[in-house]
Amino acid sequence: MTQQLPYRLISKEPGHLVAEQNYQSPCLLYANLDDLAQTKSYNFIWVGIVVTKHQMSAEEEELANKLLAEKNCYAIYYTEEQMNPYLRFYEGLVRPNMHNFIDPSDHLKSEINEWAEYKAVNARVARRVHQVRSIGNSKTIWIHGDQFMLVPYY
């Protein structure tokens, strides 16, 4: 489980999507883990968030799911607008607090409104992980990133 998948979906033309490697985001983690998956050194599946500019149609989501499943990737789809409250809470309070950048009491009131959205994203991610965990035949679930620290709760 990572915040982003190691592939991004690109719409070359209406109704036609391709999945391209997306290794420039956060670190070399994706490239290293993908190499393990490709060489069959470790059997795992990816679960992550895909953020879109607009709400995907059922047909677009079905096509995207098919493309990603071929790469052992399973998405949770959000629009940019849907992700904003979650990201404000994470970037404004959770991340700085986890990395000792702030005193939480200085920011608590301004970010508390996004707490419900932060919990909702973690709950939805947990449901998706539960849906696809039997596919990879792995007994281990690795959640990478402090932005998903509530996932095990759900």
Side-chain angles (χ1 to χ4, degrees):
M1 170 72 241
T2 58
Q3 183 167 350
Q4 298 175 8
L5 294 173
Y7 296 91
R8 62 184 172 178
L9 296 169
I10 306 292
S11 179
K12 300 282 185 181
E13 58 189 63
H16 181 56
L17 291 173
V18 289
E20 293 182 352
Q21 290 179 335
N22 188 30
Y23 292 163
Q24 72 272 12
S25 58
C27 60
L28 293 175
L29 169 72
Y30 296 157
N32 292 328
L33 291 178
D34 194 40
D35 184 54
L36 289 174
Q38 298 302 321
T39 60
K40 307 291 187 219
S41 300
Y42 189 71
N43 183 25
F44 63 89
I45 59 174
W46 296 90
V47 178
I49 292 176
V50 171
V51 179
T52 60
K53 292 195 181 294
H54 61 83
Q55 188 72 41
M56 293 174 70
S57 68
E59 295 81 20
E60 289 173 317
E61 199 169 308
E62 184 178 336
L63 175 58
N65 285 338
K66 182 180 176 200
L67 285 170
L68 292 171
E70 291 170 1
K71 301 179 181 311
N72 283 340
C73 294
Y74 299 87
I76 304 117
Y77 300 100
Y78 280 96
T79 63
E80 289 175 352
E81 184 178 339
Q82 291 169 325
M83 282 301 287
N84 282 337
Y86 162 83
L87 290 173
R88 278 193 303 271
F89 185 82
Y90 174 72
E91 292 294 336
L93 184 65
V94 175
R95 184 174 177 268
N97 196 32
M98 292 300 225
H99 299 283
N100 296 319
F101 293 155
I102 64 165
D103 178 353
S105 62
D106 292 342
H107 296 270
L108 191 56
K109 289 180 184 172
S110 63
E111 277 82 20
I112 202 67
N113 295 333
E114 282 87 20
W115 173 241
E117 293 299 323
Y118 180 79
K119 291 190 310 183
V121 168
N122 273 260
R124 188 170 171 199
V125 167
R127 286 192 301 273
R128 186 64 168 149
V129 168
H130 183 69
Q131 284 176 330
V132 300
R133 69 185 237 175
S134 62
I135 295 170
N137 296 324
S138 177
K139 293 181 175 39
T140 303
I141 298 172
W142 174 21
I143 300 169
H144 183 80
D146 54 10
Q147 65 271 27
F148 296 122
M149 67 182 168
L150 296 181
V151 168
Y153 173 76
Y154 296 103

